[in-house]
Amino acid sequence: MTYVNITALTYPEGAEAEIEQRFAARKRAVDTSKGFQSFELLRPVVGEDRYFVVTRWDSREDYQAWLAARSGADHSDDVRRGMSIEVLGFEVVQHDD
């Protein structure tokens, strides 16, 4: 069953360009990970102030394996600069094209 991970990014005012530049420059290493399907960065427009990073995976296990493999990722600089991260996970129960 497809697993969708959504990481919600709360950021200080004025950091929008930095967030978008950081993701535009991402190394794309995740793209070759087992089970990876897609990546999206969503900019808030209506009803929300956070950016959402959305990735799709073949399974939750594939996502967790990728996450474990990057255990060295450190967001302490982001936290010191007023950014926070909330991780949400979903299984897709219906998808229409």
Side-chain angles (χ1 to χ4, degrees):
M1 181 172 291
T2 297
Y3 179 76
V4 176
N5 178 79
I6 300 175
T7 302
L9 305 175
T10 302
Y11 55 91
E13 188 175 330
E16 297 87 351
E18 177 189 350
I19 289 171
E20 292 181 23
Q21 289 169 356
R22 287 172 68 177
F23 281 98
R26 71 187 182 93
K27 293 185 170 51
R28 300 188 184 274
V30 68
D31 297 12
T32 59
S33 298
K34 179 183 179 298
F36 175 80
Q37 295 178 7
S38 67
F39 167 92
E40 294 177 296
L41 176 62
L42 306 179
R43 177 190 300 135
V45 176
V46 176
E48 187 57 65
D49 293 334
R50 300 176 293 178
Y51 274 82
F52 289 98
V53 179
V54 180
T55 55
R56 289 180 176 267
W57 300 83
D58 289 342
S59 69
R60 183 176 182 192
E61 293 75 22
D62 288 333
Y63 167 75
Q64 290 175 325
W66 169 78
L67 190 61
R70 64 182 296 265
S71 61
D74 182 13
H75 293 285
S76 58
D77 275 350
D78 293 336
V79 171
R80 280 194 295 275
R81 291 182 16 235
M83 292 186 189
S84 66
I85 299 169
E86 179 181 2
V87 178
L88 310 166
F90 302 88
E91 288 183 339
V92 176
V93 294
Q94 183 176 349
H95 175 81
D96 295 332
D97 285 331

